Amino acid sequence: MGRGRQKAKQQKIARKLKYLTTDTDYDELAKELNSQEPGTGSFDPFADVEEQYAHESGEGTKSESSPVDDDLDEYAKWAAEAAAKAASDEQPAQHTPVKPHKPIHMPLPSAMKPKPHPSDESAK
């Protein structure tokens, strides 16, 4: 089938879907949705898979602490110490004065150099 005919068919189907009026029975839809027991269905399609792998790998037990939790605890301690240090405005014990830098001479390209005015040359 040629590209033109294929496109025309797709447009015809799209037009049908756009302007098709159907009578939706909202009461029947509400009954169907409410017929499910609460808590049985999940909006997360991967929730069942996550539970399965959590049970298989033993992550479901909270009796042991994981290394990630330990790392987070250490980070929390460090962050608390850093925040306390910043809040107390501690100054460093040795403060060395900063030496001023000498300016660096940058040569100008000849195109950017100021050109002498013609009246200046005649005065010489």
Side-chain angles (χ1 to χ4, degrees):
M1 179 182 326
R3 179 73 181 120
R5 289 177 60 189
Q6 184 181 6
K7 185 176 179 184
K9 275 190 171 185
Q10 289 174 349
Q11 285 179 334
K12 181 180 177 183
I13 292 170
R15 209 173 291 119
K16 272 186 182 179
L17 291 173
K18 182 177 180 182
Y19 297 113
L20 180 69
T21 57
T22 57
D23 296 331
T24 304
D25 188 3
Y26 292 107
D27 293 331
E28 188 66 31
L29 180 62
K31 287 179 189 175
E32 183 179 332
L33 292 175
N34 289 333
S35 67
Q36 296 177 354
E37 294 179 18
T40 57
S42 173
F43 292 110
D44 184 9
F46 300 107
D48 299 334
V49 177
E50 289 174 359
E51 289 177 10
Q52 175 187 356
Y53 284 109
H55 285 48
E56 287 178 6
S57 64
E59 292 177 6
T61 60
K62 295 288 182 181
S63 61
E64 60 186 45
S65 63
S66 67
V68 174
D69 291 341
D70 292 339
D71 290 343
L72 290 177
D73 290 341
E74 289 175 16
Y75 176 76
K77 289 176 188 176
W78 173 83
E81 290 171 3
K85 185 183 264 187
S88 67
D89 293 325
E90 292 180 354
Q91 295 294 329
Q94 295 178 350
H95 180 51
T96 58
V98 178
K99 296 179 184 177
H101 295 286
K102 291 193 295 186
I104 300 172
H105 176 69
M106 297 293 292
L108 283 176
S110 60
M112 296 187 69
K113 289 184 180 176
K115 296 185 179 176
H117 198 271
S119 62
D120 292 341
E121 290 180 10
S122 62
K124 290 182 182 179

